[in-house]
């Protein structure tokens, strides 16, 4: 856990350092980071949801067509939940269309408590991604994503994820408030009866004078699934700060 905490602070420090030294890299390296506090940790695969408040830190480093996107997620007790490491490469870059591929090394951590001891259990995953993005305008886009997840432990699941995402990054509400909207429809096809169609909307709002701070609401609703018991409606509310 100490190593994970060190990585969390290293992510934030690296993002701040990279932003301050953008000119020294001749603007070839772009960096951004965010930290959010969530009332309920929700994962796209219901079995991996935390089900309690969480802290999530993310960093993005972009250079030409390559990018690294990392995420560390913890419960408020500072016990680790998710570690994500995405490497992306853009195969096609056009003004209105992008096609990328990616590879992810991730870990989902959960606790197991026998009668006389406490055990942390980690499931490691390798994920291959293909994703296409079409831009209707600078603030309006549609994405189609495909993931192939391969669990590395004997008990971990394997399967496919397909998601369709519509993003509207700027919706003006009066002169002071700016909102963003994301609507995601995704299908899971994993072994062990983990199949289903889900809908997940996200709404965010920020003040124009303080664009780095935002409030957001995220929800996840099962439409059809063979998961038993049927995944119940989940939602959370959170605050985010973006560097």
């Amino acid at each position: 856990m100490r190593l994970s905490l060190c990585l969390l602070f290293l992510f934030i420090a690296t993002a701040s350092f990279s932003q301050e030294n953008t000119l020294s890299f001749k603007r070839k390296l772009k960096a951004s980071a965010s930290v959010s506090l969530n009332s309920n940790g929700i994962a796209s695969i219901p079995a991996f949801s935390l089900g309690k408040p969480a802290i999530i830190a993310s960093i993005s480093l972009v250079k030409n067509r390559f990018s690294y996107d990392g995420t560390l997620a913890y419960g408020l007790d500072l016990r680790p939940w998710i570690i994500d490491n995405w490497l992306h490469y853009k195969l096609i870059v056009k003004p209105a269309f992008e096609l990328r591929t990616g590879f992810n090394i991730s870990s989902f951590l959960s606790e197991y408590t026998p009668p006389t001891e406490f055990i942390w259990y980690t499931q490691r995953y390798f994920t291959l991604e293909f994703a296409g993005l079409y831009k209707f305008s600078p603030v309006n886009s549609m994405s189609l994503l495909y993931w192939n997840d391969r669990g590395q432990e004997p008990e971990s699941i394997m399967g496919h994820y397909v998601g369709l995402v519509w993003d509207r990054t700027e919706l003006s509400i009066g002169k002071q408030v700016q909102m963003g909207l994301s609507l995601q429809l995704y299908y899971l096809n994993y072994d062990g009866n983990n199949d289903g169609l889900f809908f997940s909307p996200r709404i965010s709002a920020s003040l124009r004078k303080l664009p780095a701070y935002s409030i957001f609401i995220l929800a996840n609703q099962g439409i059809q699934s063979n998961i038993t018991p049927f995944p119940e409606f989940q939602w959370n509310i959170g605050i985010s700060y973006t560097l």
Side-chain angles (χ1 to χ4, degrees):
M1 184 175 72
R2 292 181 179 177
L3 178 60
S4 299
L5 287 173
C6 290
L7 288 173
L8 171 64
F9 293 116
L10 179 62
F11 275 14
I12 298 172
T14 301
S16 301
F17 176 82
S18 298
Q19 282 192 327
E20 293 173 357
N21 292 275
T22 303
L23 292 178
S24 65
F25 285 94
K26 298 181 179 180
R27 299 189 182 278
K28 291 183 179 180
L29 177 65
K30 298 180 181 179
S32 62
S34 66
V35 179
S36 65
L37 175 63
N38 301 256
S39 65
N40 183 26
I42 297 176
S44 57
I45 302 175
F48 295 148
S49 292
L50 185 63
K52 57 185 178 181
I55 301 172
I56 301 176
S58 300
I59 186 172
S60 178
L61 302 174
V62 181
K63 186 173 182 180
N64 300 325
R65 296 186 178 216
F66 290 94
S67 65
Y68 167 77
D69 300 287
T71 299
L72 290 175
Y74 291 80
L76 292 187
D77 55 6
L78 294 184
R79 292 175 177 172
W81 170 33
I82 295 175
I83 302 174
D84 253 350
N85 295 280
W86 275 105
L87 296 174
H88 289 117
Y89 178 75
K90 293 181 179 179
L91 300 170
I92 300 175
V93 180
K94 300 291 184 181
F97 178 74
E98 293 181 0
L99 179 65
R100 78 179 186 207
T101 185
F103 179 73
N104 180 31
I105 302 174
S106 63
S107 297
F108 293 89
L109 297 98
S110 57
E111 57 186 74
Y112 171 62
T113 309
T116 59
E117 57 185 334
F118 180 84
I119 298 174
W120 277 106
Y121 179 66
T122 302
Q123 295 186 54
R124 297 166 300 163
Y125 282 84
F126 294 159
T127 304
L128 179 65
E129 178 196 63
F130 289 98
L133 169 70
Y134 183 79
K135 298 178 182 180
F136 301 99
S137 71
V139 298
N140 190 6
S141 65
M142 181 79 73
S143 301
L144 180 63
L145 303 93
Y146 168 74
W147 296 346
N148 186 304
D149 283 326
R150 316 303 295 177
Q152 300 304 299
E153 273 64 50
E155 302 83 2
S156 56
I157 60 177
M158 302 183 184
H160 311 276
Y161 166 98
V162 179
L164 182 64
V165 185
W166 176 73
D167 283 309
R168 178 82 181 191
T169 58
E170 185 175 336
L171 290 169
S172 297
I173 306 297
K175 297 181 178 180
Q176 303 298 325
V177 179
Q178 178 175 301
M179 298 187 68
L181 176 63
S182 177
L183 303 176
Q184 180 177 194
L185 183 69
Y186 65 94
Y187 174 71
L188 305 176
N189 183 4
Y190 288 80
D191 52 16
N193 289 327
N194 282 285
D195 304 340
L197 182 66
F198 296 83
F199 176 66
S200 180
R202 186 182 190 276
I203 301 173
S204 62
S206 62
L207 297 175
R208 292 188 179 277
K209 293 182 178 180
L210 296 170
Y213 297 90
S214 63
I215 299 174
F216 63 87
I217 297 175
L218 173 68
N220 194 53
Q221 173 64 59
I223 299 174
Q224 184 177 1
S225 176
N226 63 1
I227 299 175
T228 304
F230 189 87
E232 62 182 21
F233 173 76
Q234 293 181 310
W235 71 278
N236 73 17
I237 185 170
I239 56 175
S240 176
Y241 173 69
T242 302
L243 298 176

